[in-house]
């Protein structure tokens, strides 16, 4: 995708959603970290249902440690891989209490050192909580980056580096959210809904999908 097209790509997504946010529910930075850890291979909707009562009870790492692994499992047992996630959340909470004064560090390397926190999770927290220009590449962003030609790459890290290199200001902070939402609701895995995509004419994907019977493509207004 050409430089001018990339700017226009983001401009249109930004016009449609000027203030993009994560769909995970949380009340503070610590709860965000827990929610993102729990979201691996799970939907945001499912995580929000599982953490609703948990976050009413637990707001700090110390409170999570007091709740304990078994208590946490009771709250998140409806989401996938809950046993391992509970173990990691308790372990990272203990480290936050012991080494970081109960606060989530605003440092990607420090975040990645926590149990259950990989590069993607660290990037989400850095971007969402601390306003860092990071690009958390999940399956949606990996697909959108490659399918559209925005940021092609054979690996997650390659796509992340391509996004970092090619995403211009003033779109760098919001890019992560725009791309996830676009991949989740429009540029879907099996059947992208090109017929209602606001950036279809900029996208390198061929052939474009057509509207289902009874529906028509929206008129593009610049």
């Amino acid at each position: 995708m050409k430089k001018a097209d990339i700017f226009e790509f983001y401009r249109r997504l930004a016009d449609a959603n000027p203030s993009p946010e994560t769909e995970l529910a949380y009340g503070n930075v610590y709860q965000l970290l827990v929610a993102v850890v729990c979201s691996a291979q799970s939907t945001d909707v499912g995580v929000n249902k599982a953490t609703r009562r948990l976050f009413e009870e637990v707001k700090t790492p110390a409170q999570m440690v007091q709740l304990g692994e078994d208590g946490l499992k009771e709250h998140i047992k409806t989401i996938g891989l809950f046993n391992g996630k509970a173990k990691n959340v308790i372990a990272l909470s203990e480290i936050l209490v012991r080494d970081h004064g109960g606060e989530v560090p605003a440092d990607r390397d420090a975040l990645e050192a926590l149990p259950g926190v990989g590069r993607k999770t660290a990037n989400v927290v850095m971007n969402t909580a601390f306003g860092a220009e990071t690009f958390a590449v999940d399956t949606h962003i990996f697909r959108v980056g490659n399918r559209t030609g925005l940021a092609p790459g054979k690996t997650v890290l390659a796509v992340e580096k391509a996004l970092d290199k090619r995403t211009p200001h003033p779109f760098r902070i919001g890019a992560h959210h725009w791309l996830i939402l676009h991949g989740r609701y429009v540029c879907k895995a099996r059947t992208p809904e090109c017929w209602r995509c606001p950036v279809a004419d900029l996208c390198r994907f061929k052939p474009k999908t057509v509207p289902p019977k009874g529906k028509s493509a929206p008129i593009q207004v610049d």
Side-chain angles (χ1 to χ4, degrees):
M1 193 179 291
K2 296 178 181 178
K3 186 176 181 180
D5 288 345
I6 291 175
F7 189 94
E8 179 64 11
F9 182 99
Y10 281 119
R11 186 194 69 78
R12 292 184 193 176
L13 295 182
D15 281 353
N17 184 7
S19 301
E21 297 178 346
T22 178
E23 293 187 318
L24 289 170
Y26 65 97
N28 58 37
V29 178
Y30 171 67
Q31 290 181 340
L32 171 65
L33 174 61
V34 172
V36 179
V37 170
C38 288
S39 71
Q41 299 184 45
S42 301
T43 66
D44 287 359
V45 172
V47 172
N48 289 342
K49 288 181 179 179
T51 58
R52 185 175 295 115
R53 289 191 176 183
L54 171 67
F55 288 164
E56 291 175 359
E57 179 180 347
V58 175
K59 295 177 173 60
T60 68
Q63 290 174 339
M64 187 69 78
V65 173
Q66 186 174 11
L67 177 65
E69 190 173 329
D70 289 338
L72 177 55
K73 285 180 183 179
E74 282 300 307
H75 281 282
I76 66 170
K77 61 185 178 183
T78 56
I79 63 176
L81 308 175
F82 72 92
N83 285 313
K85 291 174 181 178
K87 182 177 180 179
N88 285 332
V89 167
I90 295 300
L92 73 82
S93 299
E94 291 172 343
I95 293 173
L96 291 178
V97 171
R98 185 188 70 211
D99 298 341
H100 299 283
E103 300 293 329
V104 176
D107 179 85
R108 182 161 62 185
D109 290 338
L111 287 169
E112 286 191 63
L114 298 172
V117 179
R119 187 178 182 88
K120 182 187 76 173
T121 296
N123 280 340
V124 172
V125 174
M126 288 300 297
N127 177 270
T128 303
F130 303 117
E133 295 177 354
T134 55
F135 303 85
V137 179
D138 66 352
T139 56
H140 295 300
I141 292 184
F142 185 81
R143 179 175 67 255
V144 171
N146 279 285
R147 181 183 277 168
T148 63
L150 173 67
K154 293 184 178 180
T155 66
V156 167
L157 184 58
V159 170
E160 179 187 333
K161 288 182 176 180
L163 286 171
D164 192 16
K165 180 180 180 180
R166 307 184 78 188
T167 300
H169 292 286
F171 308 114
R172 293 178 61 82
I173 292 178
H176 156 78
H177 299 294
W178 285 313
L179 295 176
I180 283 181
L181 295 172
H182 188 64
R184 184 174 290 166
Y185 296 113
V186 179
C187 195
K188 300 176 182 179
R190 292 187 178 181
T191 308
E193 297 182 2
C194 305
W195 55 274
R196 68 180 190 91
C197 174
V199 293
D201 59 311
L202 306 173
C203 172
R204 298 298 182 262
F205 176 70
K206 297 182 184 301
K208 300 291 195 294
T209 58
V210 298
K213 289 183 178 180
K215 294 186 178 181
S216 59
I219 298 173
Q220 180 70 48
V221 178
D222 293 327

